Amino acid sequence: MQLKLKTKIKFYSLIPICTILLAGLGLLFIYSASCYSASINYGDEFYYVKKQAVSFIAGLIFMFIAMKMKTEIFIKLKWVIFALSVILLALVFIPGLGSSSYGATRWIDLKFITIQPSEIAKFGFVIFLAAYMSEYPPNNFKNAVVPILCGGIICGLIMAEPNMSITAVVGLSLLVMLFAGGFNGKLMAVLGVCVLVGGILLIVLEPYRMERFTAFLDPWKNPKDEGYQLIQSYYALGSGGLFGVGIFNSRQKYLFLPFAESDFIFSVIGEETGLFGCLGIMAIFLVYILCGVKIARKAESKYYMLLAVGLTCVTALQAAINFAVVSGSIPPTGVPLPFVSAGGTSLVTFMFVSGLIYNIARNHSK
Amino acid sequence: MLMVLIIFLFTAIFGRLIYLMVISSESLQIKALDQWTRDVPVTGERGDIYDVNGVLLADTGTIYTVYVRPNSVTDKAYTAQILSSILGIDEKKLYDRINAKVSEVTVSKNVTSEQISLIYAAKPTGVYYAQNIKRNYIYGDFSSMVLGFTNIDGVGQTGIEAQYNSYLQGIDGKLLTETDLIGRELDSNLTYYIEGVKGADLYLTLDYSIQRFVQNAVNDAYETHQAKSASCVVMNAKTGAIVAMAQSPSFDLNNIPRNDIAKLMEVSRNTIISDVYEPGSTFKVLTAALGLEYGVVNTSTTRCYCGGSRIVDGTKIKCWRTIGHGSQTFAEAVQNSCNCMFMDIALGLGKEQLYTGLKSFGICDKTGIDASGEASGLMINYDIVKNVDIARIGFGQAVAVTAIELLTACAAAVNGGELLTPYLVDKIVQGGEILYKGNKNIRNNVISAETSRTMREIFEGVVRDGGGKNAQVNGYRIGGKTGTAQKYSESGGGIAGGKYVATFMGFAPADNPEYIMLFIVDEPSTGAYYGSVVAAPYASTIFSQIFEYRGWQPENTVALPKFEMPDLIGLSLTEASAILAQKGLYYEYYGEVGNGNKVTYQLPAPGSYVNKNNAVYISLSQE
């Protein structure tokens, strides 16, 4: 109700508005969080900001394209999209092409640019799902087999990088979309249990995940190793208090907090702008997500409904996981905050997705 | 439903954020502050030490410690060059050190503020400094054993510095510097300085002036007599406050031989409280007091015949005057320091009264003086002590005491009977508030006031007419007792030939003693070794200086005609003693009489000017 009153234009304009607002805030806090480490490591305090600004401009172009494009095309191209996603994910394992850092192979190094395929593939998969499930509604087990199998392939590839958090985002998005597509409640429960057991198995099989798990319960047990990152995030948030220490005044960014400009940028925001700053960022995300859900509800067809649900769902889950990791609510796992964290592929794809959601609202609403 | 789920998720996370950012905020910040800053301790200044009248003896000066943090150095060669030239350090070595992968290098701990200014002006990078406090002893080699010293970290190691360390020590402050993860200082350059708190000031019972008199006297005695050491302690006989305490050789507190631990321990030991020695005749003061107190002797009827020795249980024990003292009253026997008299008293007391009596004088107990390293005396075990030993104890042999133990016992004998706890600290003050006050403490009432009065009279006689004559100060009343003890060889076993301890115990004014002193010359090696001629003259010097310092006027000064000291060399003892008696001179001798032994050495030397208050020392041997 209020949304309508406030926005004489159209409520769905909030999608690009929130997108640009978050990306803009991202640029500001990336600068603040990285200026020290960038000047130490690259001799240029704007190193990360410059890269992010270029990606932002690219993102704007992609968003504009997504707003204008014919989204029906995805239905025809669904298998191509799926195949491309799988190929992209597989490319990281080709020696010389894949690039590793911190024990994970997540990037394709094209020399002039580095791409993170999982950022693209997760949306590719969601688009594929929407297209497939609109054709074969998963209201019986037979129709659910293909989405689950395809989801298994995508999850398996991302897990092999490894990237636990994006795997979780993809798996959970699959569940949500199956549910939205009319999947049987009982089967849903069975599948949910399977995913849960699988997740636990993954944690138990790889010792480093177990360590991270215990680190999350008591980070001060190993303050120099597993617990380090989380403790540093706590220090940042704790120092921020209610109102923060002021923009650019973070102390944790002086190399204490690892990935301050990417996965842990929310800690720096908390340190500099306090609880109210965190509330603000979360509120913008909430507006964006609620908008996405509303667009899905008003979608003219099942395909557009599923597409809006899937795209919004990935964004929402990833934001929620990031907040949860930073605040120590779940075991630490590296996941960027959509729109805000430094990372070109991530920003461009998320902005492209915003364009798609806007496109659905504008052209395919009831 | 999806919306409800998402709102629930966000609310849960926000709840977690409230917990972290509001509820735990403070505790997290405190922990974080720890990693954000590097701290350099700033030493809290140590309290000053004064004499009883407020004369400053020890204070603290500021020196600086210079550090280099290699991470913060942009031009290592320049930093090394500047620091090495200003601080006089090897440039190559320093350069290597600041090139090492360490977070901090301590360049020098002994940098003056002038040097700091020079370094600061040259603007080298990565150089930090912290203030340190260096102990400064105003008079250097003065009261060294009493004051003691601190280690390089400012913790008291010996003497008063150790004993009262907790009062003197300041509370350290901090210098906090904001740094990044690996210790590089931030551009904001915010530093927090938490000032140290100065320790309490300590006022000794020592009186600077009297300490100076005593110090000069022991230095003189040490050199004149080529002694192993000379020491002296002056105490207020009524309160137990130590007025002066000095020994020679000593050492400069500002230049402590820290590299030679053995030497350091040797020179810094306060022999007055840490070493035991056989007291010899000064111990007779205690025997006399016990004899009077228990009625073994009295001043009216007691007579003692000395034939030069006593036979105790078949063992012949000689008097120091081997030709004997003849028949004497008790007072005369004390003046003569006749060993036979004191053997008689000790045997008369018996071992039970002697041992309990000496115990009540604090013999073989620590006095409880407020200085570190106090020892206590030794006596032969009560269960195995024989009469021969008891007789010897009577004149100060077969017993070992510390100087401070003997002095407090002697003080009890002449001050009315109060055995006191000697003390070195008058008061400890911080910010106008007195934290500690040294007070008179009576451990024990040993003898009656009446006995004590008799003691004062008898021992005034020793200085007036007997072996203590050299301690006289014309016009003043002084009491005292000399002592000459043979030393036992340090490896154990028998008497060490030719090694003696010459002592003098004196008190003044004799009728109402305020000062009591013990002067010890350990192993005089220039010929004379008797307490009467080696130690007593220094007591006279010190007392006369104290009287003048206190402004006490002399009474009944007698003009003593001076005359030339006769030449006694080559004479027999009989001939020499006749001449000395005619001149009215008191004398003591060493050596066997008879066998044609002649005087081979005399002090004062022939021809020097003397008066009849001089005590003469002669030694006899074959020519």
Side-chain angles (χ1 to χ4, degrees), chain B residues 3 5-6 20 33 42 57 68 96 101 103 159 162 185 271 309 341 404 427 506-507 525 540 574 609 622:
Chain B
M3 284 166 81
L5 193 74
I6 284 166
L20 288 173
L33 195 68
V42 177
L57 301 178
V68 168
D96 290 344
K101 279 194 187 293
S103 63
E185 199 170 328
T271 57
S309 65
M341 175 80 257
I404 194 69
K427 63 184 174 191
F507 56 90
S525 66
S540 169
T574 330
Y609 281 89
Q622 288 283 342

Side-chain angles (χ1 to χ4, degrees), chain B residues 377-457:
Chain B
L378 302 161
M379 280 177 81
I380 295 166
N381 190 302
Y382 181 80
D383 296 325
I384 59 162
V385 67
K386 292 179 290 209
N387 277 336
V388 191
D389 305 317
I390 287 170
R392 286 209 168 95
I393 293 168
F395 59 92
Q397 286 183 6
V399 59
V401 293
T402 63
I404 194 69
E405 187 178 314
L406 182 63
L407 184 73
T408 49
C410 290
V414 299
N415 72 2
E418 292 172 347
L419 185 69
L420 303 166
T421 305
Y423 62 96
L424 281 161
V425 172
D426 175 45
K427 63 184 174 191
I428 299 174
V429 183
Q430 190 167 39
E433 189 193 344
I434 295 181
L435 303 179
Y436 172 92
K437 178 79 186 133
N439 284 314
K440 172 178 179 175
N441 174 39
I442 304 169
R443 291 151 70 196
N444 201 359
N445 275 299
V446 189
I447 53 170
S448 69
E450 179 56 30
T451 305
S452 186
R453 192 180 58 76
T454 310
M455 289 291 292
R456 291 196 290 271
E457 286 165 3

Side-chain angles (χ1 to χ4, degrees), chain A residues 56-358:
Chain A
F56 178 63
I57 290 161
L60 282 176
I61 295 165
F62 272 88
M63 186 161 79
F64 188 72
I65 293 169
M67 284 172 171
K68 299 289 175 195
M69 75 186 291
K70 300 255 180 272
T71 41
E72 311 88 75
I73 198 164
F74 293 146
I75 302 177
K76 273 187 199 160
L77 293 176
K78 60 177 179 288
W79 285 109
V80 177
I81 291 167
F82 178 73
L84 276 175
S85 300
V86 171
I87 291 165
L88 266 177
L89 286 174
L91 281 177
V92 299
F93 299 109
I94 295 171
L97 205 57
S99 150
S100 301
S101 89
Y102 302 102
T105 316
R106 296 177 183 174
W107 296 268
I108 297 172
D109 192 354
L110 298 176
K111 303 307 166 198
F112 66 98
I113 190 170
T114 338
I115 293 170
Q116 196 175 352
S118 57
E119 293 293 326
I120 300 167
K122 67 189 174 200
F123 286 115
F125 176 63
V126 163
I127 291 167
F128 161 78
L129 274 186
Y132 185 86
M133 289 199 293
S134 60
E135 224 173 311
Y136 309 97
N139 44 18
N140 59 59
F141 187 72
K142 205 180 88 188
N143 283 356
V145 168
V146 172
I148 292 170
L149 272 180
C150 292
I153 292 167
I154 298 282
C155 283
L157 282 167
I158 299 176
M159 205 56 237
E161 288 180 348
N163 192 337
M164 174 90 170
S165 37
I166 299 296
T167 310
V169 168
V170 171
L172 288 169
S173 300
L174 171 66
L175 284 185
V176 170
M177 287 185 71
L178 282 172
F179 186 70
F183 194 52
N184 180 306
K186 262 187 204 165
L187 286 174
M188 189 78 194
V190 171
L191 202 65
V193 170
C194 285
V195 169
L196 203 67
V197 169
I200 291 169
L201 264 175
L202 283 175
I203 286 174
V204 176
L205 284 177
E206 290 277 0
Y208 87 93
R209 290 199 187 95
M210 198 64 206
E211 279 165 14
R212 282 196 188 177
F213 192 76
T214 48
F216 138 76
L217 292 174
D218 182 12
W220 273 278
K221 214 166 83 182
N222 282 313
K224 299 256 178 208
D225 304 312
E226 291 80 29
Y228 180 78
Q229 212 171 17
L230 195 52
I231 288 174
Q232 296 308 325
S233 179
Y234 284 176
Y235 286 168
L237 295 172
S239 312
L242 274 179
F243 304 104
V245 295
I247 286 182
F248 304 133
N249 290 341
S250 162
R251 277 295 277 115
Q252 284 295 89
K253 69 183 175 190
Y254 289 95
L255 310 186
F256 296 107
L257 179 65
F259 305 109
E261 75 288 343
S262 58
D263 295 352
F264 280 83
I265 196 157
F266 194 59
S267 309
V268 176
I269 294 172
E271 187 182 0
E272 296 193 345
T273 61
L275 187 68
F276 287 101
C278 291
L279 186 65
I281 296 284
M282 290 174 82
I284 298 171
F285 270 102
L286 209 54
V287 168
Y288 181 96
I289 292 160
L290 297 184
C291 246
V293 171
K294 189 171 177 180
I295 289 165
R297 283 217 182 109
K298 295 183 119 193
E300 61 180 18
S301 70
K302 192 149 197 182
Y303 165 66
Y304 288 111
M305 183 274 281
L306 285 171
L307 194 57
V309 165
L311 298 176
T312 308
C313 185
V314 168
T315 312
L317 281 171
Q318 199 169 320
I321 289 177
N322 183 277
F323 294 148
V325 166
V326 164
S327 62
S329 312
I330 60 166
T333 167
V335 59
L337 185 60
F339 308 115
V340 185
S341 287
T345 323
S346 173
L347 182 62
V348 171
T349 36
F350 272 106
M351 288 181 80
F352 178 75
V353 163
S354 290
L356 286 182
I357 296 173
Y358 178 84

Side-chain angles (χ1 to χ4, degrees), chain B residues 514-535:
Chain B
E514 180 165 340
Y515 297 107
I516 182 161
M517 99 162 49
L518 189 60
F519 199 100
I520 302 171
V521 182
D522 189 14
E523 296 185 23
S525 66
T526 50
Y529 56 82
Y530 270 33
S532 52
V533 287
V534 171

Side-chain angles (χ1 to χ4, degrees), chain B residues 218-382:
Chain B
V218 293
N219 289 346
D220 186 18
Y222 172 68
E223 282 173 24
T224 306
H225 296 283
Q226 299 286 299
K228 187 182 168 198
S229 75
S231 55
C232 176
V233 49
V234 181
M235 185 173 87
N236 183 317
K238 293 173 179 175
T239 65
I242 303 293
V243 179
M245 187 185 259
Q247 75 189 51
S248 185
S250 181
F251 64 105
D252 184 351
L253 287 170
N254 291 325
N255 191 15
I256 300 161
R258 292 194 198 271
N259 298 329
D260 188 345
I261 299 296
K263 188 186 173 200
L264 182 60
M265 295 323 286
E266 180 57 35
V267 296
S268 65
R269 201 177 65 247
N270 189 338
T271 57
I272 290 164
I273 61 167
S274 302
D275 285 5
V276 296
Y277 74 110
E278 198 188 58
S281 299
T282 42
F283 198 74
K284 290 171 181 166
V285 174
L286 309 183
T287 315
L290 291 173
L292 285 168
E293 182 71 9
Y294 290 115
V296 176
V297 284
N298 62 60
T299 47
S300 48
T301 61
T302 300
R303 289 207 74 83
C304 166
Y305 178 79
C306 167
S309 65
R310 280 278 187 280
I311 309 283
V312 181
D313 289 351
T315 305
K316 183 179 177 184
I317 305 172
K318 285 187 205 164
C319 182
W320 65 270
R321 185 182 167 98
T322 44
I323 55 167
H325 290 100
S327 178
Q328 318 149 85
T329 64
F330 173 58
E332 285 165 349
V334 172
Q335 283 173 22
N336 291 334
S337 194
C338 174
N339 288 355
C340 296
M341 175 80 257
F342 291 92
M343 288 191 252
D344 291 353
I345 297 172
L347 292 167
L349 286 163
K351 79 169 177 179
E352 193 184 334
Q353 276 186 347
L354 181 68
Y355 268 62
T356 51
L358 289 177
K359 176 90 182 154
S360 70
F361 268 115
I363 296 303
C364 295
D365 283 331
K366 290 182 181 179
T367 62
I369 187 170
D370 46 353
S372 58
E374 188 183 7
S376 58
L378 302 161
M379 280 177 81
I380 295 166
N381 190 302
Y382 181 80

